[in-house]
Amino acid sequence: GAVVSQHPSWVICKSGTSVKIECRSLDFQATTMFWYRQFPKQSLMLMATSNEGSKATYEQGVEKDKFLINHASLTLSTLTVTSAHPEDSSFYICSASRREGIEQYFGPGTRLTVT
Amino acid sequence: KNQVEQSPQSLIILEGKNCTLQCNYTVSPFSNLRWYKQDTGRGPVSLTIMTFSENTKSNGRYTATLDADTKQSSLHITASQLSDSASYICVVSTQTGANNLFFGTGTRLTVIP
């Protein structure tokens, strides 16, 4: 149990366009979902935390208008990178946790390349 | 400042050999410490989670230790296999919930035949 999926697994887009990444908890209800970004040879950096039905809480330095997060249901969260630029190219990973759980279950990640 | 430091940054070992990865942290308050395995281009997968009162925990060929007094942890891999090649990330949490995780930069392990 506790499987998290992401779609797409990789995406290439042109500069200035928007890209949506989906994160789904397949076999449990995720009351909280997390979005991370990981640059090559670096560790995961938390971008935002979202609770189902509430606005996401963004980490310092993360532009909320650029990285739109929606957590509309207990099994789905989406991250939309708006007006993407080459510097947004990165590996985006989501994770999900159950209510009162301590474990974060990570998705397989989405490789975004902005040309 | 809450920090998690791992050593070595990278390690190459022969298949079948054992190895130990280190994690030092200054995170406070301490709730639990986790070790994750991250294959290239994939999300992290949990290996162990240890709370303050646990000194050691095993998961197959992986054994993690925790010394909460010295704020150190280690991950020992026994009889390494080629599939163990990955990044191993030490993560410390300050709360009992799933939030507030502090990530180490990881140790890149390469197992060669």
Side-chain angles (χ1 to χ4, degrees):
Chain A
V3 178
V4 176
S5 70
Q6 283 184 239
H7 178 80
S9 56
W10 60 271
V11 58
I12 301 174
C13 71
K14 292 186 176 180
S15 185
T17 61
S18 295
V19 174
K20 179 184 285 187
I21 302 171
E22 291 186 350
C23 176
R24 293 181 184 274
S25 57
L26 299 184
D27 52 2
F28 68 101
Q29 293 187 329
T31 52
T32 305
M33 285 186 166
F34 307 84
W35 286 96
Y36 295 86
R37 182 167 49 184
Q38 185 177 32
F39 292 106
K41 297 186 179 181
Q42 295 185 22
S43 194
L44 283 70
M45 293 171 44
L46 180 65
M47 299 176 65
T49 303
S50 72
N51 293 299
E52 184 265 339
S54 302
K55 289 185 178 180
T57 301
Y58 290 80
E59 295 298 299
Q60 191 172 10
V62 178
E63 301 174 56
K64 60 181 66 177
D65 294 331
K66 180 171 183 61
F67 299 98
L68 302 179
I69 293 173
N70 184 284
H71 190 171
S73 77
L74 286 172
T75 60
L76 174 65
S77 176
T78 60
L79 167 67
T80 301
V81 182
T82 62
S83 187
H85 289 98
E87 56 264 31
D88 298 324
S89 298
S90 187
F91 193 53
Y92 291 86
I93 304 174
C94 75
S95 69
S97 67
R98 297 184 174 98
R99 188 186 307 277
E100 298 179 356
I102 68 169
E103 181 66 270
Q104 285 190 27
Y105 304 98
F106 288 87
T110 296
R111 172 73 58 192
L112 170 63
T113 301
V114 184
T115 61
Chain B
K1 183 178 179 181
N2 291 318
Q3 284 188 319
V4 179
E5 296 182 348
Q6 293 185 241
S7 62
Q9 281 190 328
S10 61
L11 181 63
I12 301 174
I13 62 173
L14 291 173
E15 185 179 12
K17 298 295 185 181
N18 304 335
C19 67
T20 300
L21 314 180
Q22 301 291 343
C23 174
N24 297 335
Y25 62 93
T26 58
V27 176
S28 182
F30 174 87
S31 176
N32 57 76
L33 184 145
R34 309 133 185 255
W35 282 94
Y36 288 91
K37 178 186 178 187
Q38 184 179 22
D39 293 312
T40 301
R42 306 291 292 175
V45 174
S46 179
L47 296 176
T48 63
I49 298 178
M50 289 184 292
T51 59
F52 185 88
S53 59
E54 296 176 292
N55 299 119
T56 184
K57 181 167 280 189
S58 292
N59 178 0
R61 294 180 295 103
Y62 301 102
T63 299
T65 65
L66 173 64
D67 186 334
D69 291 331
T70 62
K71 299 187 178 182
Q72 296 179 326
S73 176
S74 66
L75 180 68
H76 186 74
I77 304 175
T78 305
S80 61
Q81 300 176 358
L82 298 179
S83 59
D84 292 332
S85 296
S87 287
Y88 291 85
I89 305 172
C90 175
V91 181
V92 180
S93 175
T94 60
Q95 295 181 355
T96 54
N99 295 22
N100 281 53
L101 301 186
F102 292 87
F103 287 77
T105 53
T107 292
R108 177 68 201 177
L109 174 65
T110 303
V111 181
I112 58 175

